[in-house]
Amino acid sequence: MSFLNFFQWLEATPWSIAMRESEWIFPFVETIHVLALAVMLFPTALMDLRLLGLMMRRESVSSVRNQLMPWIWTGFGTMIVSGVFVLSSHPVKYYNSPFARAKAVLLVLAGLNAMIFELTAGRKVAAWDQGPPPFRIRLTGGISLLVWIAVVAMGRAIAYG
Ligand code: HEM
């Protein structure tokens, strides 16, 4: 079964039809998607700016991370669940949207960047916990910030094309 076949099947399900025909389900789920964005993106931006050595420099990276990660994971989890619901309302339209496809690629990139950080430099945080981090860490923070800004831009653009 191809992706298109899957999205065409999904579009014909009673669930997807109900999402499209209801006056309130889609706006409700989209509102959750946007609110969860704030819960996830604000602490993510703070974390990336700390990794860039541009904010909270008097606080250690591990202390900032321990305080922000619960918010980031809660927001991220809610974005994924609400995103799947939003997607299931008009699956074929979103499948054909170049912005939705670009957003999917960027989400994978954001995930890879975070995973590589956690599996490598993140495990040696004690070596660079205080003050401005080394270049590689600042690069990770910079890439993360740019990719998340691009995800948001593509998410917003989906409504227009
Ligand atoms: C954590 C990562 C995510 C972020 C930061 C994000 C961000 C956004 C943003 C900013 C919008 C525009 C909302 C608006 O202004 O109306 C949006 C829309 C959308 N998102 Fe996400 N999203 C994420 C994950 C997902 C996932 C995992 C899916 C699907 C599996 C998804 C599906 C959609 C769809 C279909 C829309 C377009 C809704 C419309 O028609 O306007 N998102 N997203």
Side-chain angles (χ1 to χ4, degrees), residues 9-84:
W9 166 82
L10 182 60
E11 183 131 324
T13 59
W15 162 257
S16 182
I17 295 167
M19 287 271 311
R20 279 193 302 284
E21 293 181 350
S22 163
E23 277 184 17
W24 63 270
I25 300 180
F26 181 83
F28 174 73
V29 179
E30 175 86 341
T31 304
I32 301 285
H33 202 57
V34 173
L35 289 175
L37 181 69
V39 173
M40 189 205 95
L41 216 61
F42 183 60
T44 301
L46 289 180
M47 186 70 225
D48 292 340
L49 290 168
R50 177 62 187 89
L51 290 179
L52 279 161
L54 296 175
M55 273 187 81
M56 297 181 282
R57 284 184 281 201
R58 284 192 295 277
E59 281 209 65
S60 70
V61 171
S62 49
S63 153
V64 172
R65 189 162 69 166
N66 293 343
Q67 293 171 65
L68 296 179
M69 283 316 287
W71 291 97
I72 294 174
W73 279 120
T74 306
F76 184 75
T78 313
M79 291 303 291
I80 301 296
V81 174
S82 60
V84 169

Side-chain angles (χ1 to χ4, degrees), residues 100-136:
R101 293 182 183 204
K103 183 179 161 196
V105 172
L106 289 162
L107 279 174
V108 172
L109 271 182
L112 279 177
N113 186 46
M115 200 175 67
I116 292 167
F117 171 76
E118 289 299 335
L119 294 177
T120 57
R123 291 188 171 174
K124 304 185 193 103
V125 67
W128 46 270
D129 207 8
Q130 305 290 341
F135 174 74
R136 244 190 69 199

Side-chain angles (χ1 to χ4, degrees), residues 130-150:
Q130 305 290 341
F135 174 74
R136 244 190 69 199
I137 309 301
R138 280 180 274 148
L139 184 66
T140 305
I143 291 171
S144 173
L145 206 54
L146 289 177
V147 171
W148 283 117
I149 291 169

